[in-house]
């Protein structure tokens, strides 16, 4: 780990309520040195004098203005000292206690690693794992460690390489069995076992260890007595694992929503790639309804009808108009019944199509056609080949005189002139195809060439929300409103002196500018809530529950909508739910979302198709946050803080 300034480490320990707990018994030879080193990193040091009979008391007195001292006359053992220290730390409001032995065995320089690990894994129990392969320890100590490791695995189903180390970080809110803790060395094993039974995450981190020559060591380990005590304890814990441990683990999983914690990849991924929006039962049911509705009318009603009128009787103008009126009628039905959306149409009247027009519109999705077809019966489309030859509605398209683009101008133009003479307007999507992100692509000149040749005035339409509702390569319907707005008709006389290339650019800009106006009003926090929920759906019970809680927070929109900042910092961003919503709504704002919890950060950055203006940053030390400048800082619930004087908006969201 890179070198971190000691003042930065002190600030992190202070902001996360971390103290250092040092139990000591007759270690006067090393205690002062250990305390001096620890105080370089921490201002909150608790020393428990476990009835020492050497010079320990006088040494502690010399540090009394810098440390907290818990002292009692009779030796209770390490378990008793830990119990006294934990109770004192809890009474002082600390959330974590780092335990270090006072015999100089532990390297204080490993403190930054221990602190970083607990900040990255909040409410976890961090265990320092010693490398004992090249250390001069006696056979009894080595056996005791292996013995303890074995029984820990039997009692909890978890593996640890070093259960005897005293260098640990304890989450004080999740200390279990403290009241029944034994007083000697075996207490440290009990704390691990009780923690594992109650669902506390236990993490090992490699630490350095120093053992002086055996002749110089101070040891309070009594092999015969202590092995006997540990053996009795392990027998009790084995029974406890059955009677208490297993039920407690099940309850803790339920309480902490760790059942169904794995991602359901069938819903969240497609061909190994994460979906932009997870499949949900709601989306599947809604899309199934829409598909059945479409297949019923296209396959069982319209196609048979088209085949019948095509093969029987005279193919009159009246018959063709009847088909178009039926298509308009069913399109109006589809527009009203499309599940999960409301469709708004404005700026378009019946008089707009009394005379034939060229209708140009931005292309968003397959739902564009029924929305536009619902406007007037005398409307035809230029289509792609796959539409013309489609097995389900190809016959309908052909009978309705929609024309394939691939046929070429020479073949299409006479047919279009005929349609114009019969009062039909022509719909063309100048982009040619719809984009994957709803951005309006370059307009091709062909549409404006046809308008010029046919002498058609142009009716621009602006479509918003259709691509969001039915995304390209993401067929199931989402929730979202669709808006279709008509712009003023542009006379062909006004365009006659303008080159086709400039006509295409002008119409694209006209539609794009109006689209941006609609988006600025429509694409607010409420608009994107469903997409954010889709992105986190089926990624684990706890994640989905958190997402719903964030999205249902009262006043959420007031913190997100109508933002004018160029850059925003979001502290304690959690799974990134709030930050994602913020970035989706405020596309012109660079959003920097900081998170200490490594698991939450990883979940956030692995969300599909994140906006380009959203940057997730894993940060443990507060000064890393300050390297990013911003116009606004928003802090969600959590311990992360910044020390500069810029205003911080506090939002009590548990993200």
């Amino acid at each position: 780990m890179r070198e971190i300034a000691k003042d930065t480490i002190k600030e992190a320990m202070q902001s996360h309520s971390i103290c250092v707990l040092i139990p000591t018994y007759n270690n006067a030879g090393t205690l002062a040195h250990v305390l001096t080193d620890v105080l370089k990193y921490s201002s909150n040091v608790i020393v428990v004098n476990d009835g020492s009979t050497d010079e320990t008391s006088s040494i502690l007195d010399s540090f009394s203005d810098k440390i907290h001292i818990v002292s009692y006359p009779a030796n209770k053992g390490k378990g008793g000292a830990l119990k006294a220290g934990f109770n004192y730390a809890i009474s002082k409001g600390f959330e974590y206690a780092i335990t270090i032995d006072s015999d100089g065995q532990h390297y204080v320089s490993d403190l930054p690693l221990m602190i970083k690990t607990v900040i990255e894994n909040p409410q976890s129990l961090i265990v320092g794992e010693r490398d004992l392969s090249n250390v001069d320890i006696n056979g009894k100590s080595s056996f005791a460690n292996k013995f303890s490791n074995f029984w820990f695995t039997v009692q909890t189903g978890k593996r640890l390489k070093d259960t005897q180390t005293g260098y640990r970080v304890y989450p004080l809110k999740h200390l279990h069995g403290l009241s029944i803790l034994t007083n000697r060395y075996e207490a440290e094993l009990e704390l691990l076992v009780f923690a594992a039974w109650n669902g506390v995450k236990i993490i090992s981190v490699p630490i350095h260890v120093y053992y002086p020559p055996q002749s110089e060591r101070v040891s309070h380990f009594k092999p015969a007595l202590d092995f006997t005590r540990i053996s009795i304890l392990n027998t009790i814990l084995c029974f406890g694992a059955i009677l208490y441990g297993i039920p407690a683990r099940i309850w803790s999983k339920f309480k902490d929503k760790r059942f169904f914690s794995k991602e359901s990849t069938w819903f969240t991924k497609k061909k190994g790639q994460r979906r932009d929006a997870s499949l949900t039962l709601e989306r599947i049911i809604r899309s199934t309804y829409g598909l059945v509705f479409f297949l019923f009318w296209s396959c069982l009603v319209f196609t048979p009808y088209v085949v019948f009128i095509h093969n029987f009787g005279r193919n009159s103008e009246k018959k063709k108009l009847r088909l178009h009126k039926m298509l308009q009628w069913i399109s109006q039905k589809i527009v009203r019944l499309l599940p999960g959306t409301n469709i708004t149409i404005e700026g378009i009247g019946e008089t707009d199509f009394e005379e034939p027009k060229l209708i140009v519109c931005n292309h968003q999705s397959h739902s564009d056609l029924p929305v536009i077809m619902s406007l007037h019966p005398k409307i035809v489309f230029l289509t792609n080949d796959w539409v013309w030859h489609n097995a389900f509605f190809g016959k309908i398209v052909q009978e309705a005189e929609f024309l394939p683009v691939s046929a070429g101008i020479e073949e299409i133009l006479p047919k279009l002139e005929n349609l114009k003479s019969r009062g039909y307007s022509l719909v063309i999507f100048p982009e040619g195809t719809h984009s994957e992100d709803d951005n309006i692509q370059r307009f091709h000149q062909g549409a404006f060439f046809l308008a010029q040749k046919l002498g058609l005035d142009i009716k621009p339409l602006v479509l918003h929300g259709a691509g969001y509702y039915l995304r390209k390569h993401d067929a199931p319907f989402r929730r979202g409103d669709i808006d279709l707005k008509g712009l003023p008709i542009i006379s062909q006389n006004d365009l006659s002196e303008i080159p086709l290339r400039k006509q295409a650019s002008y119409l694209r800009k006209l539609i794009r500018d109006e689209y941006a106006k609609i988006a600025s009003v429509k694409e607010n926090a409420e608009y994107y809530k469903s997409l954010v929920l889709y992105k986190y759906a089926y990624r684990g019970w706890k994640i989905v529950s958190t997402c719903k809680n964030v999205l249902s927070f009262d006043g959420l929109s007031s913190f997100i909508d109508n933002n004018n900042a160029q850059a925003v910092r979001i502290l304690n961003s959690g799974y990134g739910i709030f930050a994602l919503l913020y970035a989706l709504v405020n596309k012109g704002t660079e959003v920097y979302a900081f998170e200490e919890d490594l698991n939450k950060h990883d979940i956030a950055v692995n969300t599909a198709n994140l906006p380009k203006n959203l940057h997730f940053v894993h940060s443990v030390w507060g000064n890393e946050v300050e390297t990013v400048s911003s116009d606004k800082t928003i802090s969600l619930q959590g311990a992360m803080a910044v020390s500069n004087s810029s205003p911080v908006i506090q939002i009590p969201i548990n993200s």
Side-chain angles (χ1 to χ4, degrees), residues 142-247:
S142 177
F143 174 77
N145 196 36
K146 293 177 181 177
F147 183 77
S148 178
N149 295 347
F150 170 78
W151 284 111
F152 175 78
T153 302
V154 171
Q155 291 150 9
T156 66
K158 300 179 182 293
R159 291 184 179 275
L160 280 179
K161 293 183 178 180
D162 191 358
T163 56
Q164 291 293 295
T165 177
Y167 207 165
R168 302 178 181 182
V169 185
Y170 289 95
L172 297 176
K173 290 182 180 178
H174 297 281
L175 278 179
H176 299 275
L178 193 59
S179 60
I180 60 173
L181 201 66
T182 55
N183 283 340
R184 299 295 171 179
Y185 288 101
E186 64 273 15
E188 289 178 310
L189 175 61
E190 290 177 75
L191 287 168
L192 286 178
V193 171
F194 291 147
W197 284 350
N198 286 277
V200 178
K201 188 177 181 181
I202 302 175
I203 299 173
S204 288
V205 295
I207 59 169
H208 302 89
V209 64
Y210 169 71
Y211 281 103
Q214 296 197 30
S215 59
E216 299 178 15
R217 295 177 194 172
V218 177
S219 176
H220 308 294
F221 185 72
K222 301 174 182 178
L225 181 60
D226 288 333
F227 269 126
T228 301
R229 187 185 295 110
I230 291 172
S231 297
I232 295 172
L233 173 65
N234 279 315
T235 302
I236 296 172
L237 290 176
C238 285
F239 283 105
I242 298 170
L243 300 175
Y244 173 79
I246 294 174

Side-chain angles (χ1 to χ4, degrees), residues 409 413 417 420 446-456 492 500:
I409 293 293
L413 198 56
E417 288 175 342
K420 175 194 172 184
F448 309 100
F449 173 77
L450 288 175
Q452 192 178 75
K453 284 291 185 183
L454 297 169
L456 293 174
Q492 192 58 230
L500 294 177

Side-chain angles (χ1 to χ4, degrees), residues 403-473:
L403 298 172
V405 177
S406 62
I409 293 293
E410 293 181 358
E411 183 176 339
I412 288 175
L413 198 56
K415 295 179 180 179
L416 291 176
E417 288 175 342
N418 176 264
L419 286 166
K420 175 194 172 184
S421 68
R422 290 156 49 202
Y424 284 86
S425 294
L426 172 65
V427 178
I428 296 181
F429 299 108
E431 296 166 275
T433 185
H434 51 284
S435 67
E436 295 189 22
D437 56 6
D438 295 340
N439 285 327
I440 298 175
Q441 303 171 95
R442 183 174 68 89
F443 278 15
H444 299 292
Q445 300 176 34
F448 309 100
F449 173 77
L450 288 175
Q452 192 178 75
K453 284 291 185 183
L454 297 169
L456 293 174
D457 294 340
I458 297 176
K459 177 67 176 180
L461 302 183
V462 184
L463 194 58
H464 177 272
Y468 176 82
Y469 175 72
L470 182 57
R471 205 67 165 174
K472 191 172 185 178
H473 305 310

Side-chain angles (χ1 to χ4, degrees), residues 262-424:
K262 291 186 178 180
E263 182 176 333
S264 299
T265 54
W266 192 87
F267 293 96
T268 62
K269 292 186 177 181
K270 182 179 181 181
K271 296 180 180 179
Q273 298 296 315
R274 189 176 300 285
R275 294 177 180 271
D276 179 45
S278 298
L279 289 177
T280 64
L281 294 178
E282 175 202 32
R283 291 183 72 197
I284 293 170
I285 292 170
R286 190 186 306 128
S287 300
T288 301
Y289 161 78
L291 180 62
V292 170
F293 182 88
F294 169 77
L295 291 177
F296 171 78
W297 284 101
S298 66
C299 296
L300 300 181
V301 177
F302 272 102
T303 299
Y305 172 77
V306 166
V307 171
F308 177 79
I309 66 170
H310 181 76
N311 291 303
F312 296 94
R314 190 169 59 89
N315 195 15
S316 64
E317 182 66 24
K318 184 177 180 181
K319 187 186 292 185
K320 290 178 179 179
L321 182 58
R322 187 186 303 125
L323 173 61
H324 278 276
K325 287 183 176 179
M326 290 179 66
L327 286 173
Q328 183 193 20
W329 176 81
I330 191 59
S331 295
Q332 290 172 341
K333 286 284 186 186
I334 291 172
V335 165
R336 286 197 297 269
L337 297 176
L338 271 176
T341 186
N342 292 311
I343 298 178
T344 302
I345 298 174
E346 63 171 312
I348 303 169
E350 283 289 328
T351 57
D352 287 336
F353 305 108
E354 285 181 351
E355 297 293 329
K357 303 287 188 306
L358 173 70
I359 302 169
V360 295
C361 184
N362 58 307
H363 198 7
Q364 291 214 305
S365 75
H366 297 316
S367 61
D368 299 356
L369 270 71
V371 174
I372 296 175
M373 285 169 60
S374 70
L375 300 176
H376 196 271
K378 287 194 169 185
I379 289 178
V380 296
F381 290 77
L382 284 188
T383 70
N384 292 322
D385 282 356
W386 75 266
V387 176
W388 179 262
H389 297 294
N390 189 274
F392 296 109
F393 49 81
K395 286 289 184 185
I396 302 171
V397 167
Q398 294 169 27
E399 192 64 27
E401 299 181 272
F402 293 4
L403 298 172
V405 177
S406 62
I409 293 293
E410 293 181 358
E411 183 176 339
I412 288 175
L413 198 56
K415 295 179 180 179
L416 291 176
E417 288 175 342
N418 176 264
L419 286 166
K420 175 194 172 184
S421 68
R422 290 156 49 202
Y424 284 86

Side-chain angles (χ1 to χ4, degrees), residues 89-116:
I90 292 169
S91 72
K92 292 297 182 181
F94 292 108
E95 294 196 13
Y96 300 94
I98 303 178
T99 57
I100 295 181
D101 290 347
S102 62
D103 59 3
Q105 176 192 138
H106 299 142
Y107 280 74
V108 177
S109 58
D110 283 329
L111 266 176
L113 175 61
M114 302 293 278
I115 295 165
K116 181 176 185 288

Side-chain angles (χ1 to χ4, degrees), residues 21-26 46-54 56-57 60 68-88 181-184:
L21 173 59
I22 305 175
T24 186
Y25 174 61
N26 289 347
I46 302 170
V47 180
V48 180
N49 183 4
D50 186 24
S52 298
T53 57
D54 59 3
T56 294
S57 294
L60 293 179
H68 302 267
I69 302 172
V70 178
S71 186
Y72 40 82
N75 176 256
K76 296 180 180 179
K78 191 170 186 181
L82 288 173
K83 189 188 302 185
F86 290 145
N87 286 327
Y88 182 85
L181 201 66
T182 55
N183 283 340
R184 299 295 171 179

